[in-house]
Amino acid sequence: MTYTLQHETPVGPVTITATGEAVTQIRFGTTVPEGSAAVPETAATPLLLKAAAQLREYFAGTRRDFSLPLAPAGTPFQQSVWQALQTIPYGETRTYGHIAMQIGHNKSFRAVGMANNRNPIVIVIPCHRVLGYDGKLTGYAGGLDIKERLLALEKRR
């Protein structure tokens, strides 16, 4: 069973979904995933509360690294991309090409882009830190304005 908590952030609401063991999704907006039970904060699981607290700390500028058990659902290729994203230091960026080389798929920058697009755990798996080959902002699940705000937040700290 998964449980979902809706949490307000400075860039809008996010929906946090977790099992008893791991966070499975953090998505922008308030859509509750099918098969998940939405719970109010007063009835949230310890893991949902921990995830919400760590997001608050991130936006307050006191957290640079997340320490949450994660279980995003995806293909082995997607998993390798998402693991690589977690190695991008706070306040830094990489290109899709850099990530492709890091995972040993040098020519697969478009596939890296698609895996980035399908990242089910935004912010914590920092897909916002990936830029186009020319260093410009490219698509983001929350919109380019949110991507820009997240990058600016990290640069200020």
Side-chain angles (χ1 to χ4, degrees), residues 14-28:
V14 296
T15 300
I16 306 166
T17 304
T19 64
E21 294 81 39
V23 173
T24 57
Q25 293 184 32
I26 298 177
R27 300 223 184 242
F28 292 109

Side-chain angles (χ1 to χ4, degrees), residues 35-51:
S36 185
V39 295
E41 194 161 344
T42 55
T45 66
L47 184 52
L48 287 172
L49 294 174
K50 182 177 180 180

Side-chain angles (χ1 to χ4, degrees), residues 1-3 32-37:
M1 180 73 176
T2 62
Y3 297 94
V32 176
E34 189 175 323
S36 185

Side-chain angles (χ1 to χ4, degrees), residues 46-114:
L47 184 52
L48 287 172
L49 294 174
K50 182 177 180 180
Q54 288 191 18
L55 285 169
R56 276 192 299 278
E57 292 165 358
Y58 169 82
F59 283 106
T62 60
R63 176 169 293 278
R64 291 175 175 236
D65 299 301
F66 292 89
S67 59
L68 298 166
L70 305 178
T75 67
F77 181 82
Q78 290 170 332
Q79 297 283 343
S80 68
V81 170
W82 300 334
Q83 294 236 327
L85 297 179
Q86 292 176 75
T87 68
I88 305 171
Y90 180 95
E92 294 185 22
T93 58
R94 300 290 184 271
T95 65
Y96 296 107
H98 286 119
I99 299 299
M101 286 187 286
Q102 182 177 342
I103 63 171
H105 291 270
N106 298 359
K107 305 281 186 197
S108 299
F109 57 91
R110 284 192 178 105
V112 166
M114 288 306 297

Side-chain angles (χ1 to χ4, degrees), residues 89-149:
Y90 180 95
E92 294 185 22
T93 58
R94 300 290 184 271
T95 65
Y96 296 107
H98 286 119
I99 299 299
M101 286 187 286
Q102 182 177 342
I103 63 171
H105 291 270
N106 298 359
K107 305 281 186 197
S108 299
F109 57 91
R110 284 192 178 105
V112 166
M114 288 306 297
N116 214 43
N117 177 266
R118 295 218 161 76
N119 173 19
I121 304 179
V122 298
I123 303 170
V124 175
I125 297 178
C127 53
H128 62 278
R129 295 180 188 153
V130 183
L131 306 174
Y133 74 93
D134 55 1
K136 292 188 179 173
L137 295 182
T138 57
Y140 187 63
L144 290 182
D145 58 325
I146 291 178
K147 184 173 188 167
E148 190 170 34
R149 289 173 66 188

